[in-house]
Amino acid sequence: MTRTDHRMTRCFLNNATSSPIAYSSVSTWVVLILAYCFCIGPQLVQAGSIRVGITEIPPSLGNPFTAMGPPSTHFWGSLYDSLTEIDNYGAVLPSLAAEWYQAAPTVWIFKLAEGVRFHNGRPFDAHSVIATISYLQSTEAARFLIANEVSNVVGVRAISDFQVEIKTREPDAILPRRMSLIKMIEPHAWKTLGSEEYALNPIGTGPYEFSKWGNGNNVVTLIKTENRRRPVQSVGKLTFLEVPNAVAREQALVSGELDFIWGLNPDSVEAIRQSGFLVQVHRLSQITSIALPNVINEDSPLQSSDVRRALNYAVDRAAIAEHIFGGLVSVASQGAVEGTVGFNPSLSPYPYDPNEARRLLVNAGYPDGFSFTIGVLQITGSGQELAYQKVGQDLRAVGIDARVKSIPAAEFLRRFMSSDWSEYDAFSLLWNNEPMRDVGRALEYFSCLRPQPFFCDQPTTDLIRASRGEANPDQRKKILQNLMVRVKNLAPALWLTDSVNLSASTPKLRNIELQTGAIRFERMTLAH
């Protein structure tokens, strides 16, 4: 046995007996494997540094264009900045852009903050914006989720070093909101290294810069940098560790191997609190749902709106909210939550009514039900995983032979971007309004406007286009609220509940803030 093997064995044995909370033997074994793989006992904690357990390191590593929600945004949000950012009340705030205005229905002007530098010392300017947007419009970037945000852009040019003009094909009243999703990359390094090498050596303008990868890229370390716009308060070093299993993350927190974890299970809250740790409830502008495609398979029963509504009546959402998510979430009435632009307060959730579900199935020509496979994003040990299993159980109770299959994250993203669902009739998908706090973007994803749509209704698409061209906020809000009524009747999704995420931390951490899907680690303080 090598010296390293001996060290890992000692770490393995020490961590095996460190936790005061008892779990099942299977969960304990997971934790022992975690301890073996990471060997990050309390003795490695340094002043001003914290270890963060998240469900996964982004599969694209430091390439910030493949996702837009946590946990990826925790990592990328510390490294990168966008032209704008959205606060927790939905307001669009300056970031790398100091101000902006709409010069014409299809023309926006962004004035950039001056004096900003990337982590490698190169200046951020108009050419950085042009290079980022131009890359997202390239053939190579078409497979990335964020590329969809510039699909309406037809031109971008520098008016000066710190002023950019962006032209769109059709009017887009929420372009400044879209810009909050696009992280600015350092163009010289991106061109020199290429996207894959850049992902291994990411360079941004955020409050933390990349330091190193570890353990097969399942661990990444960031260190603070000077940033006048987003100064670091106390936490000078961040180490993100990929810990897919929720129980393993919780156990690692309790045993002192992690200082902060994202994705605490609701049924673990009381035990974690009783062990002296802090639990934070983060309310998200997201709806947990299952997409019900009507254009992928022309023979699918989901072509019928009666079938899609039947699925919504068949599921006991209240039981999911209460028993799986511990009463921390509410049953969804639509693809939005209150406080999101376009939320319609007049809408009520589909009631749980198995008899109505059966009646609609008969009307649609499926009195004996049908076979139905749902592909769901694999989030091991999570409440969402249990919620989708409950959906399958309820659908089987009304005669639908529903099979729920987990799909690993990388495969799920590939399928979503290519609309390659082959053996799957439906799939899990958040109505994700969190990044923009506006229903317009989520509606676009469930419409013909998506480059490779999975759901298409032309009248709905026409209304979405009208909302994009409406500059008057009140008029646009009315259009969106009417859209939400129409979309609910179309039922392009099986809406379940709104979303919260639970995080937990050691008592030494203070000022834990979530802003539009990203923990602001630079704002955290450390108690002495």
Side-chain angles (χ1 to χ4, degrees):
M1 183 178 288
T2 66
R3 181 179 302 175
T4 301
D5 291 332
H6 281 299
R7 177 179 60 82
M8 295 294 274
T9 302
R10 287 197 300 272
C11 180
F12 178 83
L13 294 173
N14 290 340
N15 281 288
T17 58
S18 61
S19 173
I21 293 183
Y23 290 88
S24 69
S25 58
V26 173
S27 298
T28 301
W29 180 244
V30 170
V31 175
L32 295 180
I33 294 173
L34 172 74
Y36 177 85
C37 292
F38 295 131
C39 192
I40 48 169
Q43 69 276 10
L44 296 185
V45 177
Q46 299 174 9
S49 70
I50 63 170
R51 300 151 305 171
V52 180
I54 56 178
T55 53
E56 67 169 355
I57 300 296
S60 64
L61 304 178
N63 179 335
F65 301 135
T66 60
M68 62 185 62
S72 299
T73 46
H74 300 326
F75 173 44
W76 293 332
S78 298
L79 274 172
Y80 294 103
D81 291 305
S82 304
L83 293 185
T84 63
E85 62 181 53
I86 312 297
D87 72 11
N88 289 331
Y89 301 96
V92 187
L93 303 178
S95 183
L96 291 176
E99 56 183 288
W100 53 89
Y101 62 93
Q102 193 169 14
T106 59
V107 178
W108 285 88
I109 307 296
F110 289 83
K111 295 182 179 180
L112 308 180
E114 299 187 28
V116 177
R117 291 190 174 274
F118 287 96
H119 298 149
N120 63 354
R122 289 183 175 270
F124 166 79
D125 56 20
H127 303 288
S128 310
V129 179
I130 293 169
T132 300
I133 293 176
S134 297
Y135 173 74
L136 287 171
Q137 293 181 308
S138 70
T139 303
E140 178 186 333
R143 69 186 189 276
F144 297 146
L145 191 66
I146 301 300
N148 190 63
E149 305 308 320
V150 296
S151 60
N152 190 33
V153 173
V154 294
V156 54
R157 71 179 183 91
I159 298 174
S160 68
D161 284 348
F162 296 100
Q163 199 165 357
V164 178
E165 177 190 86
I166 300 178
K167 289 186 177 181
T168 58
R169 181 178 299 102
E170 300 175 1
D172 191 353
I174 59 171
L175 186 69
R177 289 183 179 273
R178 294 187 196 281
M179 290 298 106
S180 70
L181 304 177
I182 300 175
K183 307 299 185 187
M184 291 291 130
I185 53 174
E186 200 281 280
H188 177 78
W190 188 277
K191 182 178 180 180
T192 302
L193 299 174
S195 60
E196 292 188 6
E197 188 67 22
Y198 191 98
L200 290 168
N201 300 276
I203 301 167
T205 60
Y208 295 92
E209 63 180 285
F210 169 74
S211 175
K212 63 179 179 179
W213 298 102
N215 292 300
N217 295 343
N218 291 326
V219 180
V220 59
T221 300
L222 308 181
I223 56 175
K224 76 172 183 176
T225 187
E226 293 302 319
N227 190 307
R228 288 178 294 175
R229 292 170 303 102
R230 295 172 61 189
V232 174
Q233 299 301 315
S234 297
V235 179
K237 179 181 177 182
L238 292 171
T239 301
F240 291 93
L241 300 104
E242 181 177 286
V243 189
N245 186 277
V247 173
R249 289 193 301 276
E250 295 160 12
Q251 189 80 341
L253 175 70
V254 171
S255 63
E257 296 161 353
L258 294 173
D259 305 297
F260 177 91
I261 62 171
W262 175 261
L264 180 68
N265 274 330
D267 57 5
S268 300
V269 168
E270 194 55 35
I272 293 295
R273 281 177 172 158
Q274 288 182 1
S275 296
F277 296 89
L278 303 179
V279 175
Q280 301 85 28
V281 179
H282 308 283
R283 297 206 164 272
L284 307 174
S285 298
Q286 299 172 335
I287 300 298
T288 300
S289 75
I290 295 172
L292 306 176
N294 72 342
V295 297
I296 291 178
N297 180 358
E298 62 182 15
D299 297 323
S300 170
L302 298 181
Q303 294 282 349
S304 167
S305 60
D306 276 348
V307 169
R308 299 194 301 268
R309 285 194 295 271
L311 299 183
N312 275 279
Y313 281 111
V315 175
D316 188 352
R317 298 169 175 79
I320 290 173
E322 181 63 29
H323 301 301
I324 294 178
F325 293 113
L328 295 170
V329 301
S330 301
V331 172
S333 64
Q334 58 199 283
V337 300
E338 188 174 0
T340 303
V341 176
F343 173 82
N344 191 324
S346 70
L347 293 176
S348 300
Y350 277 96
Y352 174 48
D353 191 341
N355 290 331
E356 178 64 8
R358 294 186 186 96
R359 186 188 72 78
L360 286 169
L361 290 173
V362 171
N363 284 352
Y366 297 97
D368 300 320
F370 54 87
S371 296
F372 183 62
T373 302
I374 306 171
V376 301
L377 176 63
Q378 186 177 65
I379 311 177
T380 306
S382 72
Q384 283 191 15
E385 184 179 48
L386 296 175
Y388 294 132
Q389 294 299 330
K390 169 64 173 168
V391 168
Q393 175 183 321
D394 287 352
L395 294 181
R396 289 190 291 274
V398 298
I400 298 173
D401 180 20
R403 298 180 294 273
V404 178
K405 295 185 177 181
S406 293
I407 306 176
E411 179 189 348
F412 188 94
L413 180 62
R414 178 190 64 77
R415 287 180 178 274
F416 178 74
M417 293 306 298
S418 63
S419 287
D420 172 23
W421 294 106
S422 50
E423 69 269 31
Y424 300 102
D425 301 289
F427 53 91
S428 64
L429 186 64
L430 289 173
W431 278 69
N432 189 6
N433 304 305
E434 179 67 26
M436 290 170 41
R437 296 296 171 103
D438 187 289
V439 303
R441 191 186 163 283
L443 284 169
E444 289 174 7
Y445 268 75
F446 284 79
S447 79
C448 316
L449 290 171
R450 192 168 180 269
Q452 293 178 291
F454 55 83
F455 189 92
C456 181
D457 175 72
Q458 194 57 52
T460 299
T461 300
D462 293 340
L463 286 170
I464 294 172
R465 281 199 169 100
S467 76
R468 298 203 317 193
E470 180 54 69
N472 183 295
D474 292 334
Q475 291 300 318
R476 182 171 176 275
K477 178 180 176 181
K478 289 179 182 178
I479 294 173
L480 291 174
Q481 288 181 333
N482 290 335
L483 262 169
M484 298 305 275
V485 175
R486 178 179 180 82
V487 168
K488 184 184 177 185
N489 291 329
L490 283 172
L494 200 172
W495 296 286
L496 299 178
T497 68
D498 60 13
S499 300
V500 298
N501 202 291
L502 305 173
S503 65
S505 61
T506 64
K508 70 179 181 180
L509 289 179
R510 297 285 191 273
N511 301 321
I512 297 172
E513 299 179 26
L514 181 78
Q515 183 173 325
T516 54
I519 294 292
R520 302 299 293 263
F521 291 101
E522 77 274 13
R523 297 177 184 173
M524 283 186 183
T525 56
L526 290 165
H528 296 293

